[in-house]
mmCIF file of all heavy atoms in Angstrom:
data_model
loop_
_atom_site.group_PDB
_atom_site.id
_atom_site.type_symbol
_atom_site.label_atom_id
_atom_site.label_comp_id
_atom_site.label_asym_id
_atom_site.label_seq_id
_atom_site.Cartn_x
_atom_site.Cartn_y
_atom_site.Cartn_z
ATOM 1 N N LEU A 3 109.546 69.560 88.332
ATOM 2 C CA LEU A 3 108.090 69.588 88.258
ATOM 3 C C LEU A 3 107.555 70.978 88.551
ATOM 4 O O LEU A 3 106.676 71.480 87.834
ATOM 5 C CB LEU A 3 107.500 68.568 89.239
ATOM 6 C CG LEU A 3 105.970 68.536 89.325
ATOM 7 C CD1 LEU A 3 105.326 68.289 87.963
ATOM 8 C CD2 LEU A 3 105.530 67.487 90.340
ATOM 9 N N SER A 120 101.285 65.428 98.645
ATOM 10 C CA SER A 120 101.862 65.936 97.399
ATOM 11 C C SER A 120 100.826 66.693 96.577
ATOM 12 O O SER A 120 101.145 67.695 95.919
ATOM 13 C CB SER A 120 102.455 64.797 96.582
ATOM 14 O OG SER A 120 101.456 63.855 96.228
ATOM 15 N N GLU A 121 99.585 66.249 96.634
ATOM 16 C CA GLU A 121 98.527 66.913 95.873
ATOM 17 C C GLU A 121 98.186 68.271 96.487
ATOM 18 O O GLU A 121 97.920 69.241 95.774
ATOM 19 C CB GLU A 121 97.290 66.014 95.804
ATOM 20 C CG GLU A 121 97.547 64.736 95.023
ATOM 21 C CD GLU A 121 96.347 63.808 94.971
ATOM 22 O OE1 GLU A 121 95.245 64.224 95.408
ATOM 23 O OE2 GLU A 121 96.511 62.671 94.485
ATOM 24 N N SER A 176 108.402 65.951 96.821
ATOM 25 C CA SER A 176 107.240 65.255 97.369
ATOM 26 C C SER A 176 106.896 63.956 96.662
ATOM 27 O O SER A 176 106.076 63.180 97.157
ATOM 28 C CB SER A 176 106.015 66.181 97.307
ATOM 29 O OG SER A 176 105.579 66.348 95.962
ATOM 30 N N GLY A 177 107.496 63.730 95.481
ATOM 31 C CA GLY A 177 107.156 62.536 94.718
ATOM 32 C C GLY A 177 105.786 62.606 94.071
ATOM 33 O O GLY A 177 105.154 61.579 93.798
ATOM 34 N N ALA A 178 105.312 63.817 93.812
ATOM 35 C CA ALA A 178 103.980 64.002 93.233
ATOM 36 C C ALA A 178 103.895 63.388 91.843
ATOM 37 O O ALA A 178 104.860 63.432 91.066
ATOM 38 C CB ALA A 178 103.653 65.491 93.151
ATOM 39 N N ASP A 179 102.740 62.813 91.536
ATOM 40 C CA ASP A 179 102.485 62.339 90.184
ATOM 41 C C ASP A 179 102.362 63.556 89.268
ATOM 42 O O ASP A 179 101.534 64.434 89.523
ATOM 43 C CB ASP A 179 101.185 61.529 90.152
ATOM 44 C CG ASP A 179 100.797 61.148 88.735
ATOM 45 O OD1 ASP A 179 101.486 60.308 88.142
ATOM 46 O OD2 ASP A 179 99.805 61.724 88.223
ATOM 47 N N PRO A 180 103.159 63.650 88.211
ATOM 48 C CA PRO A 180 103.152 64.865 87.388
ATOM 49 C C PRO A 180 101.792 65.206 86.794
ATOM 50 O O PRO A 180 101.400 66.380 86.775
ATOM 51 C CB PRO A 180 104.187 64.572 86.294
ATOM 52 C CG PRO A 180 105.117 63.581 86.924
ATOM 53 C CD PRO A 180 104.254 62.731 87.805
ATOM 54 N N ARG A 181 101.062 64.208 86.303
ATOM 55 C CA ARG A 181 99.769 64.508 85.690
ATOM 56 C C ARG A 181 98.772 65.025 86.712
ATOM 57 O O ARG A 181 98.018 65.964 86.451
ATOM 58 C CB ARG A 181 99.227 63.265 84.984
ATOM 59 C CG ARG A 181 99.991 62.879 83.726
ATOM 60 C CD ARG A 181 99.313 61.749 82.990
ATOM 61 N NE ARG A 181 100.030 61.391 81.765
ATOM 62 C CZ ARG A 181 99.657 60.432 80.944
ATOM 63 N NH1 ARG A 181 98.567 59.706 81.217
ATOM 64 N NH2 ARG A 181 100.365 60.169 79.856
ATOM 65 N N THR A 182 98.777 64.420 87.888
ATOM 66 C CA THR A 182 97.887 64.884 88.946
ATOM 67 C C THR A 182 98.266 66.294 89.384
ATOM 68 O O THR A 182 97.409 67.148 89.591
ATOM 69 C CB THR A 182 97.926 63.922 90.140
ATOM 70 O OG1 THR A 182 97.565 62.616 89.706
ATOM 71 C CG2 THR A 182 96.975 64.370 91.232
ATOM 72 N N ALA A 183 99.561 66.534 89.526
ATOM 73 C CA ALA A 183 100.027 67.857 89.924
ATOM 74 C C ALA A 183 99.634 68.912 88.889
ATOM 75 O O ALA A 183 99.196 70.013 89.247
ATOM 76 C CB ALA A 183 101.545 67.845 90.116
ATOM 77 N N GLU A 184 99.783 68.592 87.609
ATOM 78 C CA GLU A 184 99.376 69.515 86.554
ATOM 79 C C GLU A 184 97.885 69.852 86.660
ATOM 80 O O GLU A 184 97.484 71.023 86.572
ATOM 81 C CB GLU A 184 99.646 68.902 85.177
ATOM 82 C CG GLU A 184 101.087 68.877 84.753
ATOM 83 C CD GLU A 184 101.248 68.257 83.375
ATOM 84 O OE1 GLU A 184 100.227 68.094 82.664
ATOM 85 O OE2 GLU A 184 102.391 67.926 83.002
#
Side-chain angles (χ1 to χ4, degrees):
L3 177 56
S120 61
E121 295 178 9
S176 71
D179 174 70
R181 290 187 179 179
T182 302
E184 285 180 14

